[in-house]
Amino acid sequence: GKHDEDVYDMMFIWYYIKEILDIIKFSRFAISDAIGSLIMWRGQVKVRDMYLPVHSAIAFVGGIYFIERPHLLPGCFFLSLAWLMLASMIHRQQNPSIWHKTNSFFYYLAVLLNMKPTTNKTVIKSMENAENAAIYEANWEHRINFSQEIGRKNRDLNYEVERIGNEKLSDEHKKKWAQKDPLTIVAENLK
């Protein structure tokens, strides 16, 4: 590559830390989107020209099956992990950027079964689907920035409410103690 990763350099460490933090930031939004989409039965899987709520239907039927047979908890847990990984792969496949796509499930299944995987050598043309990918990335950046701005506003409002509440409590506390003489306060504390 462009940089020698075998040589110690703090810049590389900071790049790796930034990459991990970006993944964590993205994951928070991806998980909230996935849960919202699952609960609200929004379309998740593209079939021809429309999106169908396949994952919501699977979760609904699986939930009914699991409730009736709670002894299947370990199997359902591991099946849900596999389902989560497949859903993540489908989500990555639907990214408009060709560089973010991954191999299909059947490719990895063929590798696992020691078969010769069918590799589709994708020839990427210059700037292929770049406009859609840029729009997709811009939407994510806007969403993250908007969420961070809302978080800052909420934090500032909570700070202001807490400050006003503390001032009010402080004023009430001063009034309460100002009205009583010291001997009455000591007598109340001894009771």
Side-chain angles (χ1 to χ4, degrees):
K2 184 178 174 183
H3 303 285
D4 185 13
E5 294 185 3
D6 294 331
V7 177
Y8 176 77
D9 189 1
M10 279 300 291
M11 188 172 65
F12 290 124
I13 294 173
W14 288 113
Y15 285 146
Y16 291 140
I17 290 172
K18 184 185 179 314
E19 183 178 356
I20 290 170
L21 292 175
D22 286 344
I23 289 170
I24 291 170
K25 182 170 63 171
F26 172 76
S27 298
R28 188 178 76 206
F29 291 103
I31 290 169
S32 68
D33 282 352
I35 291 172
S37 176
L38 193 67
I39 292 172
M40 302 304 289
W41 286 72
R42 295 184 189 131
Q44 298 110 358
V45 178
K46 186 175 184 178
V47 178
R48 295 190 185 162
D49 292 335
M50 61 183 162
Y51 287 91
L52 298 176
V54 174
H55 296 294
S56 298
I58 291 170
F60 181 72
V61 173
I64 291 172
Y65 191 79
F66 172 68
I67 293 296
E68 292 176 355
R69 297 163 185 84
H71 63 278
L72 297 176
L73 175 66
C76 288
F77 172 74
F78 289 112
L79 183 64
S80 67
L81 289 179
W83 177 37
L84 179 69
M85 289 189 286
L86 283 172
S88 174
M89 183 186 66
I90 290 171
H91 185 278
R92 286 186 65 191
Q93 289 285 51
Q94 292 176 351
N95 190 327
S97 173
I98 295 173
W99 296 102
H100 285 95
K101 294 189 186 278
T102 184
N103 292 323
S104 70
F105 170 74
F106 297 108
Y107 172 85
Y108 292 115
L109 183 64
V111 169
L112 185 67
L113 298 175
N114 289 328
M115 297 169 50
K116 184 177 179 185
T118 57
T119 56
N120 296 334
K121 302 265 181 181
T122 306
V123 177
I124 301 173
K125 299 172 188 156
S126 176
M127 301 302 287
E128 182 178 348
N129 215 11
E131 186 176 316
N132 291 340
I135 291 170
Y136 182 82
E137 291 294 325
N139 287 340
W140 267 108
E141 286 299 320
H142 173 71
R143 176 153 184 236
I144 290 170
N145 292 336
F146 180 73
S147 177
Q148 288 174 342
E149 183 65 30
I150 294 293
R152 272 190 229 103
K153 286 181 181 179
N154 284 342
R155 190 173 47 248
D156 293 343
L157 287 173
N158 286 337
Y159 173 75
E160 188 68 24
V161 166
E162 187 176 326
R163 186 185 61 79
I164 291 170
N166 287 340
E167 285 179 3
K168 191 172 186 180
L169 285 175
S170 176
D171 291 343
E172 290 174 4
H173 184 70
K174 287 177 184 175
K175 288 178 186 175
K176 177 181 172 186
W177 292 107
Q179 294 173 354
K180 296 184 179 180
D181 64 330
L183 291 176
T184 310
I185 296 170
V186 171
E188 286 179 358
N189 287 335
L190 291 176
K191 290 181 184 178

